Amino acid sequence: MTRRLLWAFPPVALLALVFLYPLTLVVQQSFQPDSGGTSLQPYTDVFASAAFREALWTTVWIAVASTAGCLVLGFLLALIIAFVPFPGAKIVARFVDVFLTFPSFLITLALLFIYGTTGIVGSFQFLTTPWGVLLAEVTYFTPFVVRPLLAAFSQLDTAQLEAASSLGARPLRIIRRVILPEALPALAAGGSLVLVLCLNEFGIVLFTGAKGVTTLPMLVYSKAILESDYPGACVVAVVNVLISVGLYALYRVVSRRAGA
Amino acid sequence: MLVHSRGARWAVWLLFLVLFLPLFALPLLVVLGASFATNWSGVLPSGFTTGHYATATRGEALQALTTSLLTAVAASVLALVVGTWAALAAAALKKSHRRVMDALFVLPVAVPSVVVGLAILVAFSEPPFLLNGTRWIVILAHTVLVTAFAHQSVSAALSRLDPAYEQAAASLGARPAYVLWRVRLPLLLPSLTAAAGLCFALSMGELSATMMLYPPDWTPLPVLIYAATDRGSLFAGSALAVVLMTATLLALYAVSRIRTRASYR
Amino acid sequence: MKGDIPFRGIRFDSVTVAYDGNVVLDSLDLTVEPGEVMALLGPSGSGKTTALRAVAGFVRPASGRVFLGGRDVTDLPPYRRGIGMVVQQYALFPHMRVEENVAFGLKAQKVPRGEIRGRVAEALEMTGMAAYGRRYPRELSGGQQQRVAIARALAIRPGVLLLDEPLSALDARLRSGMLAELARLHRELPEVSILYVTHDQVEALTLADRIAVMDRARLRACGTPRELYRAPANEFTASFVGGANLLPVTVGEQGVRFGERRLEVSGPVPEEAAVLCVRPHLVGLGDGPNRISGTVREIQWRGATHRLYVEVDGHRVIADLRELKEPPAHGDEVTLHFSPDDAVLLTAGARHD
């Protein structure tokens, strides 16, 4: 056993040096205001600022709304790909996989042409509102729901569906009584992953160039890089980490259940 | 299967097209179209040009592409080594220890990339680890971010690996190191290449942590794309984005070729 | 392949294995003599595979020792035990050709390169797979994969060969062919001790020198196939090794009684209540010694035989009879008989502890 622990030591030590140690420094710095010493001053300052509270609220509601959108859209699309297959459904499934490997800001870039000031839909200030971010996030993260759903659907016995429909069940009833229960674990797992990723999303928000839409990651970036307010940035970072790591822990529990 | 009547089936497919095309296909087509245009004020882009590509494949842009490729390769290789090592070591531990180790290694997925960037900036801006201002800090951040994915996919593959293989090898007198090298790693090869492809793609598109860290002489492509759109050069930015996507897809394709060969053997 | 194989037996010395406090093998004492084929026979969950894995070194006994050729190997890792093993799913390395699979153990043990080629060829020759060396496992049928797995295990010239349900993934026709092959291999390699785990009594009866019957983590009986079949020690063994009619009888001053009938039984008679065991194919139709009569509840024609299920005083008696010209009908009253030599009396209550 000790020899095995010894083998586990190098990668853990490396992770500690390049990830855990920096994270603790962030936490440490969040308690060290520029004025010196150690205090809760940065926290009270940041919590008191309207910008932070605004960003927190924006982050959370956009993330929740995007997740809901992804779940509905992803379920619908996966349902059609899996159960009403059409020629090319396989290619679409492959496309979903490829889509996952593209950077998120690509979507915003495209939306800039479609909805931006010189775009297809015309000069429409849609993109600089939270709704633009919401649309981009739903688009980008839906494949993260579709993929586990397709995997779950492929496990579903088609005989079960045929039995149900031979008993006279209508499609909606089959979806509700047969498919949905099977899909629930995948939906829960995919949904909580998307929620975390939305909370942490940066590229999409950065590319909209919307001054009106500030999320927590944006706030970290602007405080640290644009304002050089490191203690403030660290405070926001700690809050963001707490929310998303908490949710991610939930995701792991849910997906482990789903896997069992 | 679910919908039997012909008409209903067409209606469902139409719904699919209506949802799928504008949301998923359109963005990519728009970027592709814009990359060849100088102007877009109507429904279709106008002013066909390949000029953006001429710029996107030389000088600053070419250098950014090289930077991205080098960063992605370095980060993927490092992440694969560390992630695989960690997954193998964790698999040999008893359950409670393995849980802790798995949780540690997936943590970077949950922490916002911007925060990872900030943390690395804070930690490596001062001695003893002065990396700020060098390319190494970017590579380091990318490695941290993608190691979690490498570790996760290798762990998943390991847990699917039938223990009968390593037991058969051990019963034939092979020591653990020999079993690892001749049996386990070759059997894991398809998953390892898949993980490598994923890490590479993620690193190619990484923007959040990079924005916090990149030094002037190590500007990856996504940063350049942002800079272009930020100053309003959307069409040039699109061309750069297409170059980025193409490079990523080519790399993924090459990796998948290796994978097919590995799984065919 | 003869000559340098060490004569090695296996000895279990009160080996107990438990997973999370759940005892799956309860103090097993068993000796496999050098060159002997020992079948571990039992239903699933009986602990037979665990016993085999304890020999291979993949499970560590909670207590007790395992000996190979007189050497205590309990603390040795699997790769230092020098055993050959073949498992149900074969576990051929899919990324290696057949000859590389067979050479694997030799390379791992750093056998000189010049020697490997010859030994691989020899092992493949022996299993009839010499023509398939360049193939990959997925290009072979199940039976061929099985032969390669055996060749791979034999190539390292083990003193002990462990076979874990080696035939259960094959279809019935291939299985009987492989059974003959295994018997031939054993004749060609008389010095290799074989521990053969199976749930199939036919495999055990065909192949084994001795059979160890396992049930619910315990060894229930051990003996030659003939002993176990002719004179089973308990009801479990009687019913698991070949089918058996088990009838409750009383033993008293008037001898052995089944209900109102007096029965003649040669051989030892226990003191009190007992169970009478008689094999279905030794039960005859019509008058004879030890006649019992009852009602035909079911009749099955199996080609060469008829199987009759006859209810006698609420107990079911099965008779396997050579094909009848005029079989009785459902519900008919029939008379059955069996010879006193063909019945064995077992102590009652030994069914499950």
Side-chain angles (χ1 to χ4, degrees), chain C:
Chain C
M1 212 170 254
K2 300 189 176 110
D4 47 355
I5 296 180
F7 273 79
R8 287 168 79 188
I10 308 167
R11 186 155 69 83
F12 295 88
D13 186 358
S14 49
V15 173
T16 297
V17 177
Y19 296 121
D20 304 324
N22 188 8
V23 175
V24 290
L25 186 63
D26 194 357
S27 65
L28 174 68
D29 282 301
L30 185 68
T31 304
V32 183
E33 301 295 340
E36 187 180 34
V37 180
M38 171 72 83
L40 284 177
L41 177 67
S44 65
S46 58
K48 57 191 194 305
T49 294
T50 306
L52 175 131
R53 294 170 65 79
V55 179
F58 299 129
V59 293
R60 231 201 103 81
S63 64
R65 317 298 296 175
V66 177
F67 295 88
L68 282 176
R71 188 165 66 130
D72 184 346
V73 297
T74 319
D75 299 318
L76 285 186
Y79 63 90
R80 290 182 54 195
R81 296 193 179 196
I83 37 126
M85 191 169 87
V86 176
V87 295
Q88 187 181 339
Q89 347 53 321
Y90 320 136
L92 294 179
F93 307 128
H95 57 293
M96 296 182 195
R97 293 177 192 278
V98 164
E99 55 191 16
E100 292 169 314
N101 261 287
V102 178
F104 181 88
L106 302 172
K107 283 185 185 160
Q109 294 178 4
K110 303 211 171 69
V111 170
R113 193 172 283 272
E115 201 182 314
I116 290 179
R117 181 184 285 274
R119 281 175 63 175
V120 168
E122 186 187 20
L124 285 175
E125 193 68 51
M126 201 161 212
T127 51
M129 290 299 292
Y132 298 90
R134 303 291 297 164
R135 301 255 189 118
Y136 282 105
R138 67 188 145 70
E139 297 165 342
L140 302 178
S141 70
Q144 291 171 328
Q145 292 189 26
Q146 177 65 278
R147 287 159 191 266
V148 175
I150 294 170
R152 183 175 70 175
L154 290 177
I156 60 169
R157 295 184 185 169
V160 167
L161 189 59
L162 306 178
L163 303 173
D164 187 1
E165 304 263 8
L167 306 184
S168 55
L170 301 177
D171 62 44
R173 198 175 48 83
L174 270 175
R175 203 177 301 164
S176 71
M178 269 319 280
L179 211 50
E181 284 282 298
L182 286 175
R184 178 184 60 78
L185 277 172
H186 181 56
R187 281 195 303 275
E188 288 176 23
L189 300 168
E191 58 281 354
V192 178
S193 316
I194 297 177
L195 189 62
Y196 188 103
V197 164
T198 181
H199 64 274
D200 183 315
Q201 41 127 347
V202 176
E203 288 174 25
L205 291 171
T206 313
L207 210 58
D209 298 319
R210 282 194 300 155
I211 299 174
V213 180
M214 311 263 313
D215 182 43
R216 300 198 293 167
R218 289 226 178 135
L219 180 65
R220 299 294 166 178
C222 181
T224 64
R226 200 178 166 72
E227 281 165 7
L228 293 184
Y229 192 78
R230 296 290 302 182
N234 48 45
E235 288 179 50
F236 179 79
T237 309
S239 56
F240 205 80
V241 183
N245 289 305
L246 297 170
L247 302 173
V249 292
T250 48
V251 181
E253 284 155 14
Q254 297 121 325
V256 181
R257 299 185 74 87
F258 171 55
E260 295 305 306
R261 296 175 197 80
R262 224 182 93 87
L263 299 175
E264 289 295 330
V265 176
S266 16
V269 175
E271 308 235 317
E272 35 196 295
V275 171
L276 180 115
C277 161
V278 56
R279 303 287 175 187
H281 72 278
L282 297 174
V283 177
L285 185 65
D287 229 354
N290 288 332
R291 47 186 297 262
I292 47 179
S293 45
T295 317
V296 175
R297 287 293 172 218
E298 197 174 333
I299 181 157
Q300 293 173 347
W301 180 52
R302 304 182 154 202
T305 58
H306 271 96
R307 169 166 284 194
L308 257 51
Y309 293 83
V310 179
E311 190 182 312
V312 182
D313 295 351
H315 298 282
R316 193 178 67 179
V317 177
I318 300 174
D320 284 341
L321 306 161
R322 194 181 310 157
E323 190 186 9
L324 300 168
K325 288 276 182 323
E326 286 163 21
H330 200 267
D332 280 3
E333 288 289 317
V334 292
T335 303
L336 302 172
H337 69 272
F338 57 90
S339 148
D341 294 338
D342 293 334
V344 184
L345 282 170
L346 312 172
T347 330
R351 189 179 199 93
H352 286 304
D353 289 329

Side-chain angles (χ1 to χ4, degrees), chain B residues 156-188:
Chain B
L158 261 177
S159 65
R160 283 195 305 267
L161 196 64
D162 190 341
Y165 292 118
E166 47 197 281
Q167 290 179 353
S171 80
L172 292 166
R175 294 169 167 279
Y178 192 83
V179 177
L180 177 66
W181 186 244
R182 289 298 313 278
V183 177
R184 295 173 82 198
L185 284 180
L187 290 179
L188 285 176

Side-chain angles (χ1 to χ4, degrees), chain A residues 134-173:
Chain A
L134 182 64
L135 176 68
E137 290 196 348
V138 169
T139 303
Y140 184 67
F141 289 113
T142 295
F144 286 79
V145 177
V146 173
R147 210 154 64 145
L149 275 179
L150 284 180
F153 287 163
S154 71
Q155 304 280 313
L156 193 73
D157 193 359
T158 47
Q160 225 179 324
L161 294 187
E162 277 154 17
S165 68
S166 75
L167 292 171
R170 317 229 354 129
L172 277 184
R173 194 179 158 78

Side-chain angles (χ1 to χ4, degrees), chain B residues 189-191 193-195 252 254-264:
Chain B
L189 197 59
S191 314
T193 54
L252 286 180
V255 162
S256 81
R257 285 297 297 272
I258 298 176
R259 184 159 77 245
T260 350
R261 205 171 313 152
S263 54
Y264 181 71

Side-chain angles (χ1 to χ4, degrees), chain B residues 148-237:
Chain B
F149 292 94
H151 174 263
Q152 263 188 319
S153 36
V154 178
S155 303
L158 261 177
S159 65
R160 283 195 305 267
L161 196 64
D162 190 341
Y165 292 118
E166 47 197 281
Q167 290 179 353
S171 80
L172 292 166
R175 294 169 167 279
Y178 192 83
V179 177
L180 177 66
W181 186 244
R182 289 298 313 278
V183 177
R184 295 173 82 198
L185 284 180
L187 290 179
L188 285 176
L189 197 59
S191 314
L192 289 177
T193 54
L198 179 66
C199 291
F200 183 87
L202 287 172
S203 170
M204 283 295 280
E206 215 297 318
L207 180 69
S208 333
T210 316
M211 285 294 285
M212 311 281 290
L213 298 169
Y214 74 97
D217 64 341
W218 195 257
T219 312
L221 203 47
V223 176
L224 206 65
I225 298 173
Y226 173 67
T229 57
D230 197 38
R231 63 169 187 267
S233 319
L234 289 183
F235 297 96

Side-chain angles (χ1 to χ4, degrees), chain A residues 7 84 106 113 118 139 200 221, chain B residues 13 23-24 40 85 110 238 245:
Chain A
W7 275 106
V84 198
L106 223 68
F113 288 105
T118 60
T139 303
N200 297 347
Y221 169 71
Chain B
W13 290 341
L23 272 175
F24 301 104
W40 197 329
W85 186 333
S238 299
M245 282 192 285

Side-chain angles (χ1 to χ4, degrees), chain A residues 57-215:
Chain A
W57 167 239
T58 314
T59 312
V60 171
W61 88 253
I62 291 185
V64 171
S66 305
T67 306
C70 290
L71 285 177
V72 173
L73 193 60
F75 183 65
L76 205 59
L77 294 180
L79 209 56
I80 298 176
I81 295 177
F83 297 119
V84 198
F86 45 91
K90 283 232 167 71
I91 296 173
V92 169
R94 281 289 289 276
F95 178 81
V96 167
D97 281 355
V98 171
F99 204 84
L100 287 172
T101 61
F102 288 139
S104 57
F105 57 79
L106 223 68
I107 305 300
T108 326
L109 186 59
L111 294 184
L112 283 176
F113 288 105
I114 304 175
Y115 299 106
T117 41
T118 60
I120 302 171
V121 181
S123 66
F124 184 74
Q125 289 303 311
F126 174 67
L127 255 200
T128 54
T129 67
W131 300 103
V133 176
L134 182 64
L135 176 68
E137 290 196 348
V138 169
T139 303
Y140 184 67
F141 289 113
T142 295
F144 286 79
V145 177
V146 173
R147 210 154 64 145
L149 275 179
L150 284 180
F153 287 163
S154 71
Q155 304 280 313
L156 193 73
D157 193 359
T158 47
Q160 225 179 324
L161 294 187
E162 277 154 17
S165 68
S166 75
L167 292 171
R170 317 229 354 129
L172 277 184
R173 194 179 158 78
I174 297 180
I175 291 173
R176 210 176 59 235
R177 304 300 294 271
V178 181
I179 298 178
L180 197 60
E182 286 291 319
L184 268 185
L187 273 177
S192 34
L193 179 65
V194 167
L195 187 60
V196 172
L197 293 176
C198 285
L199 284 172
N200 297 347
E201 183 50 43
F202 175 73
I204 287 176
V205 187
L206 182 73
F207 262 67
T208 54
K211 299 286 172 280
V213 188
T214 305
T215 59

